[in-house]
Amino acid sequence: SLAATQLITKEKLTATAAIPHSPSRVATPHRVVYSPTRRPSAAQTTHGPKRNTINGAAMMLERLVSKHEDRHRTSLPAPRQSLSKERSSCDGAHEPEIEETKVPFLPARRYVQKAHILAACGQTAPIDWVSGGLQACGVLLPNLDPTQHSQEQMNELESDAGLCKIGEATYSEVFSAQWRYVPRTRYDKFNSKKGAVKGERLMQVALKIIPFGNSSVKSGTGETQTTLRDLYQEIGATLALSRLSERERGKLQEARTQVKMPLKPKERELGANFVKAFRVCICQGPLPEPLLRAWDRWQGEYPDLCENSRPDYYPANQLFAVFVLEMGGETLENANVATWKEARSIIRQLALSMALAERNNRFEHRDLHWGNIMVTRYNSNLTFLYQLPPTGSRHKSTLISIPSYRVRCTIIDYTLSRLHIDNDDAEGVSKPASYDPSNNVFYVALKDQALFQGQGDIQFDVYRQMRGCAHDDWEGFHPHTNVLWLTYVLQKILTTKSPAIRDELMAFAETKLGSPPESVSLEVRRAAAQELLRRWMHEFEQCESSSQVLQCALLDLYLVEMSEPAHDNSTDDVGSVPAFFREHSEFLDSLTQVADSAGNVESWTQDSAPTSEQELLRGLCKTLDGYQEQPTCLDPYLERIVGQLMAVVREYVYAYHDSMDRQLPIPISTTRLDGVFELLYTLCKVRGYKIILQFFPHAVADVEPVFATLWRYSADLGTTGWPARYVLLIWLSLLAMVPFDIESIDSEIVEQPMIKGVDSNTAQPLIDRWITQGKLYLTRSGCEMEGAAVMLARLLSRKDAAARQPQFIEWAAREISDAARPAITGGSSGGLQIGSVLRINGALRVLCHLFSAMDSAESLAPQIPRTCTGVPLSA
């Protein structure tokens, strides 16, 4: 067994079957066995890793498909050519186009009968294996006559035909065979054309054969057969998730066509990484002789891996479910993952697929160990494309593009899964009136306590964590369980695969730290990188769903919002409109360096930022300016960009507020973070302040520190520092919406510096000082006036500020009247002076914002005309 395992690692097969690997139903976390009706006892689950029945499968299938490559065969209609073409798809150049999975009407059922199973498979009666054999399921086999062919000849011809056993599970078997299919033309469905039928073709598939429904027949180990309800759940989940992958792939193709983003030579739309189910059929009768001969060949070549009894004891009325599945590669447990890029590609693919299923089917896998993840290795480095539907603040679908690094993973085995099936595209059956699509949940209640008592592998810890997350509510939707399994997979890769993965991940973290000063030792830098990795892992583990995992810095995903029609981005012509945020990787790297440099508290006493930081900030602003024509390209990255910058700014304002609370000298420079504030202003200019404000912190505790910092900047209203004042003003406009009375958060302990023309009496309530501060900026030209107008409008629209509205409106009326009086009386021959124009503009602007922000404008309507009287139209 160990020799076979080592040999497989060296001989990597590119197309091994998608074999079920469910240690939740076994004695160890590694064995490929399947028995949903029997859970391991606590004593069994403490055993160490045993042999894996997939060991040797890769080597055997590789030998079978290449053993007689040049031998002439007259018993088959030249299947070798089709098989060779199918195997060439492992370079990603040829993906077989097959008719989409037909999903029948699948209502969730508490009690399942045989007729329900047949209906789920689109049948009215089982296929008779005695009369029809495997050919009735679409499997291609040579026409053999036992009277004319010896046992050795039949074994050789069936092996040449690709029929072999490739794995086993408790009381079920997995074979590989050639399957007939009719191809369809790529994109036919989305061009409203009928698929072009060019004749039948062959492809290598996996046949997962499960006996069910006969409780009187037990396996050699005493296992009972799969129940009807468990089988119905697995059929529904397999078909629904296979259909999800096809549907999402179709949506991606259609969306790319609409936005004029053609597919590049090495790009592939995956849709999702769930195993493709070509067909599920119900058969009856003893296991066909070709399968028994394939079983014997497996036992003869790998006796140590064969644990099941020879399946020749089934009665004539025995029922079998035959899942015809795509070839998914070898298990992640046996796959050779050598680099961090390959590992990250696998985690990305898993997280993206789980996020899609969460959003579309409220899906939880609940058993995503590394035996249920298949890995296929390509000969070329393709780019995989996914599309996430609109969610939250995103009003458009999001395109995600990731390099494969020559690996593709496939998710299999949904025996313990939970998902919702809406049956929107169910075919052939009208839905009954009693059907409730909102409550059509397929799930398995995990009641066997032995499942949660296992020891010896972190996989068993995940089961216990999963139970703690679900609180034994297995019907409910708890997406954090998917995060638990993704964390498990990441830990498995980091701890059991090549040590080079951990070294590369450490180097990746060091690059995110930026170039260190010469005085920083290697040990200090390594410790900082380890701390960064720890924060990344903590962020990963704390995610509530797979969708949040996609935002983790550890994955560094590539997102494009599919909004406006995009131009070809293959050229770098000056002035061309970008199709997406092309510089996202370099931008985020530079941003991290800026955040680390600007976040150094010791540097806040300096009057200016280091030269290197200033150069990075100028480059970042220049990059953002290039996206003014298509600012939505930045949306997938805004949360991360604004979050990093605001983390530095927030720490700065808190430090300043703390220093004032202690009545200490203020050593913090007001110009040290000018570059950071300018970058935030550029983001507001390019994308709009309303969008950027969505990512600003808005805790109640932020109110006084931010106000104190703005008051300090108001002490010197020069020509510099206006980006900082603008950012603080719009931040206060957001904080003005906190759901608490301003008086309840007014400490009145901060001593403000003197501002010319402003009374800084600390006995004045915070809300009055807030209004006074806003009035100061209404006479400023540029964006400061706009920020103050928005802030004052939101502040005065609060219920606890309602009493101050009339007084403020009277003040605005006087401002307009006093500023316009010289022009009205003729005292100014040249018309209004610039100062008067700014006073009128500021007062009118805040009134416009206030009028639009009010829940009820009736109280303001009588006063608005009075504020405008006397203003000449020529002004």
Side-chain angles (χ1 to χ4, degrees), residues 670-671 674 713 716-725 780 784:
T670 58
T671 58
D674 280 356
Y713 272 88
D716 182 14
L717 296 178
T719 56
T720 60
W722 59 265
R725 295 192 289 269
R780 301 284 299 176
E784 294 169 89

Side-chain angles (χ1 to χ4, degrees), residues 687-737:
R687 192 61 185 96
Y689 77 89
K690 292 182 179 179
I691 299 295
I692 301 302
L693 270 181
Q694 297 176 10
F695 308 107
F696 271 43
H698 49 274
V700 176
D702 296 338
V703 174
E704 287 197 318
V706 176
F707 180 81
T709 306
L710 177 62
W711 197 287
R712 181 189 181 197
Y713 272 88
S714 303
D716 182 14
L717 296 178
T719 56
T720 60
W722 59 265
R725 295 192 289 269
Y726 171 74
V727 170
L728 293 171
L729 283 166
I730 62 171
W731 192 1
L732 279 173
S733 74
L734 178 64
L735 295 174
M737 302 170 66

Side-chain angles (χ1 to χ4, degrees), residues 526-546:
R526 296 286 290 184
Q530 290 176 355
E531 174 62 20
L532 181 60
L533 284 177
R534 187 195 64 78
R535 294 205 309 264
W536 284 351
M537 289 297 297
H538 180 73
E539 176 193 22
F540 193 99
E541 295 170 359
Q542 296 301 312
C543 291
E544 292 297 325
S545 65
S546 301

Side-chain angles (χ1 to χ4, degrees), residues 349 474 494:
Q349 294 175 48
W474 301 113
L494 293 177

Side-chain angles (χ1 to χ4, degrees), residues 466-573:
M466 189 170 63
R467 182 174 62 176
C469 176
H471 300 289
D472 288 329
D473 175 23
W474 301 113
E475 184 178 2
F477 178 45
H478 312 285
H480 184 63
T481 63
N482 292 330
V483 180
L484 295 177
W485 285 109
L486 290 174
T487 305
Y488 154 87
V489 174
L490 179 59
Q491 291 175 346
K492 276 290 189 182
I493 292 177
L494 293 177
T495 56
T496 64
K497 299 301 180 180
S498 172
I501 297 177
R502 298 184 291 277
D503 295 339
E504 291 180 22
L505 180 56
M506 181 64 71
F508 173 69
E510 290 180 0
T511 60
K512 294 298 182 181
L513 294 174
S515 301
E518 296 180 357
S519 59
V520 176
S521 64
L522 180 61
E523 292 77 11
V524 173
R525 182 169 177 79
R526 296 286 290 184
Q530 290 176 355
E531 174 62 20
L532 181 60
L533 284 177
R534 187 195 64 78
R535 294 205 309 264
W536 284 351
M537 289 297 297
H538 180 73
E539 176 193 22
F540 193 99
E541 295 170 359
Q542 296 301 312
C543 291
E544 292 297 325
S545 65
S546 301
S547 300
Q548 291 187 10
V549 169
L550 301 178
Q551 304 296 329
C552 290
L554 189 64
L555 296 188
D556 193 22
L557 273 174
Y558 181 75
L559 300 93
V560 178
E561 180 172 325
M562 304 190 73
S563 51
E564 303 298 331
H567 297 265
D568 182 11
N569 61 300
S570 58
T571 62
D572 292 324
D573 296 336

Side-chain angles (χ1 to χ4, degrees), residues 653-672:
V653 299
Y654 270 80
Y656 171 75
H657 188 252
D658 290 342
S659 66
M660 296 188 68
D661 279 350
R662 300 183 181 92
Q663 298 182 353
L664 298 175
I666 303 175
I668 301 177
S669 171
T670 58
T671 58
R672 170 63 180 85

Side-chain angles (χ1 to χ4, degrees), residues 733 736 787-798 805 808 845-854:
S733 74
V790 174
M791 180 192 71
L792 286 171
R794 292 185 176 181
L795 180 64
L796 291 168
S797 63
R798 294 175 54 91
Q805 290 174 10
F808 182 85
R845 185 165 300 197
V846 70
L847 289 174
C848 290
H849 282 292
L850 178 60
F851 193 91
S852 62
M854 290 295 296

Side-chain angles (χ1 to χ4, degrees), residues 97 184 186-190 246-259 261 263 269 387 562:
E97 290 292 329
R184 64 174 173 84
R186 188 176 180 88
Y187 307 117
D188 271 348
K189 175 183 176 183
F190 310 105
E246 297 172 349
R247 186 171 55 193
E248 291 302 318
R249 183 183 180 191
K251 288 180 181 179
L252 182 57
Q253 294 170 353
E254 189 174 20
R256 287 177 64 86
T257 302
Q258 291 178 355
V259 299
M261 295 176 67
L263 199 67
E269 306 112 329
Q387 181 183 2
M562 304 190 73

